[in-house]
Amino acid sequence: MTARPTAAPADHRAGEPINESEAIARLRQNADPSQQYYAAWWLGRMRSQHPEAVPLLRDALRQRRGRDPGAGIEENAVARNAARALGKLAPAATDAIPDLLAVLGDPDDGLREAAARALGDLRAESALKPICQLLASGPNQAGASRPDSPRMMEPCEALLEALGDIGIADPAVLAVVEPFIDHARPLIRSAAARALLQLTGEPRWGDLLVSLLNHHQLQVRRAALMDLGAAGWRPALESIRRTPAENSLKLIALRGLVEQGCGAPAEDALLACMDELL
Amino acid sequence: MPSPVPLNALIDQLRQASSSEALVLATRALASSGDPGAAPVLVEVLGYNNPGAAVAAVDGLVALGAEAVDPLLRLDPDNYGARAWAVRALAGIGDVRGLELLIDALGSDVAASVRRAAAKGLGNLRLDPLEPPIRLAVQQRCLNALLAAGSDGEWVVRYAVAVALESLARQLEPASVAWQRLEECLVALCEAADDNPPVVQLRARVALDRLDAQ
C-alpha cells in the first residue's frame, strides 16, 4: 500500500484551526466548495461523532452527481474528501454504503479510488461484487496504464486492498485477485499479495511480500512494509528489521504484526524489535 | 587487516563526494574510523539533507559517545533537519549534557519521529556518575517531561514513553513519590481507548509486569 495522501486545505482561510460545529456549518453550506472540502477532511481526521457528520458527508458525496462536469475540480474534490472521511468514521458511517457503492461507477477514477478504500474501511460485503466487476478484466485491462497518465484504467491498488479489508475469502474473489500477482507494477503485486494473505493466510503470499522488501526501489519496500503490517504477517519480523527503510514505517509495520497477527515470533520478540527502532 | 586510512584522507573523501551514494559510503568510512576528530564532520553531515548519510553519521556519533556531545550541542538550532538527527544521536549516546535538547525536542518538536527518539533518550541517560542530589534533580526533570508526553497525540510517542518510563523506573526508589507517579502514567497507558491502540497498552502492561517482578 502506498501512503495515502492527506488532502491539505485549499486556501489560507481553510488552514485556520476550527472546531466541530464550525466544520459542520462549513460542510452544510454549499456556496463555497473549498470550505466544504476542508470541513469534510476535518470531520474525518478528527473522527467526528457529531450526529450530522455522516448525513452531511453523504450529501457531499451525492451533491456532486448531476452537476456540470465542467464546473471545475472543487466538486470532485469535495466528494473525494467526503468518501475518505466516511471511511475514517467507520463503523458509524455504515448508512453511507449505498452512496459509496453508487460512486464506484463514477467517471472520476480518483473518486472511485476513495470510495473503494472507504468501503474497505467499512467492511462492506455488498461492495464485493461491484469491486470484483471493476477488476474482472484483469491486469491487462483494468490494470493497463492509461495512454495519457501514469494511472491505470482502474484504481487497482485501492480495489485490491478493499477486497482484503472486507475479508470474505470467497473463491470468486480469490480468482479475481490472483492474476494481479503477476502485474508489471510491484506496488500492484504487493497489494494483491496483501489481499490474498489477509484472505487465505497462505505463507506463499507472505513470502512474496517479504521478497518485495528486497526490491531496489524504496517506494516498493515501503509499500511492502505497510502491507505486511496490514496483514499482520509475523514471520516477516527479521526481514522488516533489516530492510533499508525509515524506522517510522518499520514501527507501523511491527504494530500491525502485534495487533493483526498471531503465532511466532511471539509478542515479546516483536516489542523488543520495536524498542530498538525508536 | 588493512592499514587504517588517515583521518584527513577520510574527511577529504567525504568533502569531495560527487554523488549521494558516494557521500553515504564516505560517511560510513569516516563513521567507522572511531576517531574523535571525525565528530565535527559527522555533525556537519547531519545538515546535508541526505538521509542515508545522516543515518551513518548518527551511528558514528553514537559510537564515539561522550566525545561527540560538544559538537552536537554546538549545532545551529535553526537547522531543523540537522537538529532532528542530533536528537537521535544524543538519545543514543545517553550523555546528561543532552538533557535540555532532549526535553525541548520531546515537548515541542513537530515530528513524531523526533519526539519518540527524544523520549527513548530521556529513559537512557547515564546518571550513575552524577552526585546524588544532581542525579535526583535530573531524574525528576526526565520524569516530568515523560509524564507530560504520556498524553502525546501520536501512539508511537506514547509507546516510546512507556519504554523510557520502564528504564527510568529502574533507577528510582520503589517506594518514592516519583515511582508512584511513573506507575500511574503506565497504568493510564494500559487503558483501552479509541485513540490508544493495543500495541501501546501491551507495551505499558509489559513494563508494569517487569517492574513488579523486579
Side-chain angles (χ1 to χ4, degrees):
Chain A
M1 154 178 137
T2 44
R4 299 181 192 181
T6 308
D11 68 27
H12 66 282
R13 274 172 312 160
E16 291 161 14
I18 58 172
N19 60 26
E20 191 171 51
S21 54
E22 174 67 15
I24 293 288
R26 287 190 189 190
L27 188 55
R28 187 183 292 117
Q29 61 83 38
N30 57 14
D32 181 354
S34 71
Q35 298 279 328
Q36 291 183 299
Y37 177 77
Y38 179 57
W41 172 83
W42 192 96
L43 291 169
R45 177 71 181 78
M46 298 302 172
R47 304 270 194 292
S48 169
Q49 295 182 9
H50 195 288
E52 286 189 76
V54 172
L56 286 172
L57 288 166
R58 293 176 66 188
D59 289 345
L61 199 56
R62 275 193 301 248
Q63 102 188 3
R64 181 200 172 271
R65 281 176 291 130
R67 281 196 174 185
D68 173 9
I73 188 130
E74 286 296 349
E75 278 73 24
N76 277 6
V78 173
R80 284 185 219 151
N81 266 9
R84 293 185 190 114
L86 287 164
K88 290 192 194 306
L89 298 186
T94 311
D95 288 351
I97 289 174
D99 307 294
L100 290 163
L101 290 174
V103 295
L104 271 185
D106 196 278
D108 174 2
D109 66 335
L111 183 54
R112 296 204 296 284
E113 177 175 1
R117 293 198 193 281
L119 287 162
D121 291 335
L122 286 159
R123 311 269 186 275
E125 291 186 29
S126 52
L128 281 182
K129 211 170 191 176
I131 289 177
C132 284
Q133 277 165 1
L134 291 176
L135 289 170
S137 61
N140 296 326
Q141 289 186 38
S145 297
R146 289 171 186 261
D148 52 344
S149 87
R151 299 181 72 95
M152 287 166 289
M153 299 307 285
E154 292 296 336
C156 294
E157 196 178 338
L159 294 166
L160 292 165
E161 287 177 12
L163 291 177
D165 287 337
I166 295 169
I168 306 288
D170 185 279
V173 173
L174 300 179
V176 165
V177 177
E178 277 207 38
F180 286 88
I181 282 296
D182 297 318
H183 196 280
R185 299 190 190 191
L187 294 182
I188 302 302
R189 300 202 291 277
S190 190
R194 161 199 171 140
L196 289 166
L197 183 57
Q198 284 173 312
L199 294 173
T200 68
E202 285 177 28
R204 58 179 168 147
W205 308 126
D207 294 343
L208 201 156
L209 286 173
V210 168
S211 73
L212 289 172
L213 289 178
N214 294 322
H215 198 277
H216 65 278
Q217 284 178 301
L218 177 58
Q219 184 196 14
V220 175
R221 300 196 297 274
R222 286 174 175 159
L225 280 172
M226 294 301 96
D227 290 337
L228 285 162
W233 184 244
R234 290 191 177 183
L237 172 63
E238 276 311 310
S239 305
I240 290 173
R241 186 205 301 272
R242 284 195 307 264
T243 189
E246 299 90 334
N247 286 4
S248 301
L249 293 185
K250 295 184 183 190
L251 285 162
I252 293 171
L254 291 170
R255 173 185 165 186
L257 266 51
V258 171
E259 296 185 355
Q260 313 296 330
C262 58
E267 282 166 352
D268 54 352
L270 301 172
L271 295 180
C273 184
M274 288 181 73
D275 292 4
E276 256 176 55
L277 293 169
L278 290 172
Chain B
M1 208 176 131
S3 58
V5 183
L7 184 68
N8 284 342
L10 290 170
I11 292 174
D12 286 347
Q13 203 178 17
L14 189 147
R15 295 209 192 284
Q16 287 156 19
S18 55
S19 70
S20 170
E21 287 283 283
L23 181 65
V24 174
L25 292 175
T27 305
R28 277 188 200 144
L30 183 61
S32 57
S33 71
D35 188 322
V41 184
L42 292 172
V43 169
E44 205 179 292
V45 171
L46 302 181
Y48 285 178
N49 197 20
N50 178 325
V55 166
V58 167
D59 288 347
L61 290 162
V62 171
L64 287 173
E67 307 270 14
V69 173
D70 273 335
L72 280 166
L73 294 176
R74 280 200 299 269
L75 200 75
D76 174 8
D78 292 333
N79 186 339
Y80 173 76
R83 189 173 173 274
W85 290 109
V87 168
R88 293 187 178 97
L90 288 166
I93 293 169
D95 189 292
V96 73
R97 286 172 289 167
L99 180 71
E100 300 298 335
L101 191 64
L102 292 176
I103 287 179
D104 187 47
L106 177 58
S108 64
D109 202 284
V110 291
S113 61
V114 176
R115 300 202 301 281
R116 84 171 188 243
K120 190 185 182 192
L122 287 172
N124 279 346
L125 292 182
R126 278 192 311 276
L127 306 179
D128 295 343
L130 302 178
E131 295 293 324
I134 298 174
R135 184 164 65 224
L136 271 177
V138 171
Q139 283 169 346
Q140 200 62 53
R141 297 202 56 206
C142 290
L143 179 61
N144 289 340
L146 289 167
L147 295 181
S151 51
D152 194 287
E154 292 288 340
W155 71 269
V156 77
V157 179
R158 298 197 303 280
Y159 182 99
V161 165
V163 172
L165 288 175
E166 184 188 330
S167 335
L168 188 62
R170 297 181 193 287
Q171 308 175 22
L172 301 177
E173 283 295 320
S176 65
V177 175
W179 209 96
Q180 197 185 340
R181 291 174 67 213
L182 185 153
E183 192 177 37
E184 275 167 17
C185 184
L186 284 173
V187 169
L189 289 173
C190 286
E191 277 166 21
D194 269 358
D195 50 0
N196 194 35
V199 74
V200 174
Q201 300 167 37
L202 178 66
R203 188 62 187 83
R205 168 56 51 204
V206 166
L208 282 170
D209 290 348
R210 287 182 190 157
L211 294 173
D212 272 351
Q214 214 181 6

